[in-house]
Every structure is written in C-alpha cells, then in structure tokens.
Amino acid sequence: VPIHVIHHGVEPEFRPLGLKKDGPMTFLLLNTVGHFSFRKGILEGMRAFHDAFLHGEDVRLLVRSPVEPSITMQAAALADDRIVLQIPTAPSLSAEQMNWLYNHVHVYFSPSRGEGFGLPALEARAAGIPVVMTAWHGSRDHFQKDMDIEIAPSKSLCRIPISEEEGGLAYDLDHDAMVAALRQAYAEYDARAALSMAAAPRISREWAWSRVLKPLVALLRDGTVAAGR
C-alpha cells in the first residue's frame, strides 16, 4: 500500500503586523500543555536565558505556559525579574491571537527535546520573527538554515515520557549550546530580524494550507475515480 506524507501548513492569519517593538528584546518560550514541559525544555530554557544574560542586557523571557509547579518553582529559584510567566486564562488562543503574540516579541525560542512537527516555529517565521531552536526532530522538515539559529544537541540521550508511559529516546539538551544560541540571537538580532521579515511572505506562501492540501485532494480524487465513485 503506497504511503503518502502530507506535512502541516500555516494559517493565513500568521503574518507581520508592522508593529514597532519598544522595550527589552523579548524571547518567547511557549508551552502549550503543562505536562509537556520536560519535552519542551522549559526549565532548561529558563536557566539558559538566565545564564546567557548576566551583564545588564535589556532582555526579557516571556514564558507562556499553563499552571505547572515545576515552572513556578524554577522562576522562584532563579529570582530573575526579566523572566515573566504568563499563565493563559483560556484553553488556547486563536490563530489571530497567536499572531498578535508573535508580533509583540522579538525572537521565538524553542529548546525542545522532541517535536512531531514543531508548528509554532513555522508560525513565528510566517509572522516575521527570528527563531532559535533545536532541530534534530520533526522541526528539521522546516528548519531555515539561512535564518534560524540552531541549538546543537548534547552527546547524551534521554527518554521523553509520553503521558504515564515511557516514550522514545531523543538527544538531551546542552546548556552551553543553548546559552551560545541565545547570545548569538541577541548579537545578530538586527540582521536576523531583517531576513525573517523579508522571508515571511515566502514562508506563508510555501507552507499555506491551500498548497499543502493539494496533493491530498488529488489523491482522494484519484482514489475516488479509480474506485468508480
């Protein structure tokens, strides 16, 4: 039986809004579900940000996550007022609301141990902001070598839990590599932001759902014709 892979697409709501971004350079660390925090590298990302900027740089880390005790405890332990926890009051944001969030930050930061696809990174690119990410998993499919900053993997492996069962193996996170990637994003922000803004229309065009779904529609149509329906 032939197997056809149809990848994710990005909604048309994700686009640059042309906002002037005043205030500190803000990195967005996103956790959609509380128990995903280990896979998403949330605690390690917070520590890396804290250690990357120890010399008075005007930066901020916005951690958007449901209530998760380990994240709250990490924030308290670091005692870094540049790390801001944002706990959603609604289960999820609409595409338009997520686009607003991307457009109000400077860099999307994804220190994930594993992703099936890593859709937020693609959405952030369509919104025109630079991405700092790990890319040894599903996100490699849409990694943009000319724009994104890649976090190098650790030489060790870890097991990613799935619910209450054991999950698969993945590269673990390397603290120094995360620190270096964040420092690079800070130092090269102007150039990276210009590249990202210029590439946003291409990302939206090449990964649009209308284009992604064309092969699936063709397969379904051909299968229906072959079946005589």
Side-chain angles (χ1 to χ4, degrees):
V1 177
I3 296 175
H4 300 273
V5 178
I6 306 296
H7 60 69
H8 270 294
V10 65
E11 303 286 353
E13 287 84 355
F14 293 100
R15 65 194 188 282
L17 297 179
L19 302 178
K20 183 180 180 181
K21 299 179 182 179
D22 296 320
M25 182 184 295
T26 303
F27 294 78
L28 173 63
L29 183 54
L30 188 63
N31 185 35
T32 51
V33 182
H35 66 266
F36 284 179
S37 58
F38 177 79
R39 178 168 66 82
K40 296 287 187 180
I42 303 300
L43 303 185
E44 293 81 1
M46 293 168 69
R47 167 63 69 180
F49 173 87
H50 174 77
D51 291 348
F53 303 109
L54 297 174
H55 306 292
E57 295 93 344
D58 192 17
V59 294
R60 180 176 67 166
L61 177 67
L62 176 60
V63 183
R64 181 178 172 83
S65 172
V67 176
E68 172 64 35
S70 62
I71 295 175
T72 305
M73 291 172 62
Q74 176 76 312
L78 293 173
D80 189 334
D81 59 9
R82 302 168 305 170
I83 298 177
V84 179
L85 299 186
Q86 185 181 85
I87 300 174
T89 55
S92 60
L93 296 179
S94 66
E96 189 171 320
Q97 290 170 323
M98 281 302 303
N99 185 61
W100 185 92
L101 178 61
Y102 292 130
N103 273 271
H104 279 78
V105 302
H106 296 81
V107 178
Y108 178 66
F109 176 36
S110 178
S112 180
R113 290 179 168 90
E115 294 289 337
F117 186 76
L119 190 57
L122 189 61
E123 294 171 348
R125 291 190 202 95
I129 65 171
V131 173
V132 177
M133 64 184 293
T134 56
W136 55 75
H137 38 69
S139 296
R140 173 61 70 180
D141 289 348
H142 52 82
F143 180 75
Q144 304 289 306
K145 188 176 181 179
D146 58 333
M147 296 190 309
D148 299 340
I149 296 176
E150 183 175 2
I151 301 169
S154 166
K155 294 181 180 179
S156 62
L157 297 175
C158 66
R159 189 172 295 279
I160 299 176
I162 301 176
S163 298
E164 296 179 358
E165 302 176 1
E166 287 191 343
L169 290 173
Y171 284 113
D172 208 348
L173 298 170
D174 184 294
H175 177 77
D176 291 341
M178 285 190 289
V179 168
L182 289 168
R183 292 294 313 174
Q184 183 180 355
Y186 178 80
E188 300 175 0
Y189 174 73
D190 289 341
R192 298 266 177 186
L195 285 172
S196 300
M197 190 65 70
R202 174 180 62 81
I203 298 295
S204 296
R205 183 176 62 254
E206 293 181 356
W207 293 86
W209 275 115
S210 57
R211 179 176 180 178
V212 168
L213 292 179
K214 281 184 179 178
L216 177 59
V217 172
L219 286 169
L220 293 174
R221 183 180 61 244
D222 294 345
T224 301
V225 171
R229 299 175 183 174

